[in-house]
Amino acid sequence: MSRQDKILTDRKIFHAIGYICMAAAVVLAVQFARGNLAWSDMAQGMLPIVLQELAAVCWGEYTATRPDTDAWIGRTLKTVLVASVPSLIWAFFWFTR
């Protein structure tokens, strides 16, 4: 396997992990909001945020390793910031209630 093939394979893995983490965060947030899982308030607030931020980091890595690397810093920062918005919304609604 060439280096380029390995990079493309790693990119696909980061992309998939990002979607899995975001889906898990959404499922947990819905279950916590409904009251179906009885965990501590701190765990209920922080677990979706951690999963969403992990997804943001994975998508940032996916974006940063694009084969055409012009302006990768700005593109990566935009990706991470946009992917972090759901965690900010969850934190606002969960911790201000």
Side-chain angles (χ1 to χ4, degrees), residues 20-30 47-49 51-52:
I20 290 168
C21 288
M22 188 59 78
V26 169
V27 168
L28 280 175
V30 168
L47 193 56
I49 292 171
L51 287 170
Q52 289 167 354

Side-chain angles (χ1 to χ4, degrees), residues 11 14-15 18 53-66 72-73 75-81 83:
R11 287 189 78 231
F14 277 116
H15 202 213
E53 291 303 318
L54 182 60
V57 168
C58 288
W59 287 334
E61 182 66 24
Y62 171 78
T63 304
T65 57
R66 270 177 63 178
W72 66 273
I73 293 174
R75 190 174 56 235
T76 304
L77 288 176
K78 289 177 198 172
T79 301
V80 171
L81 288 175

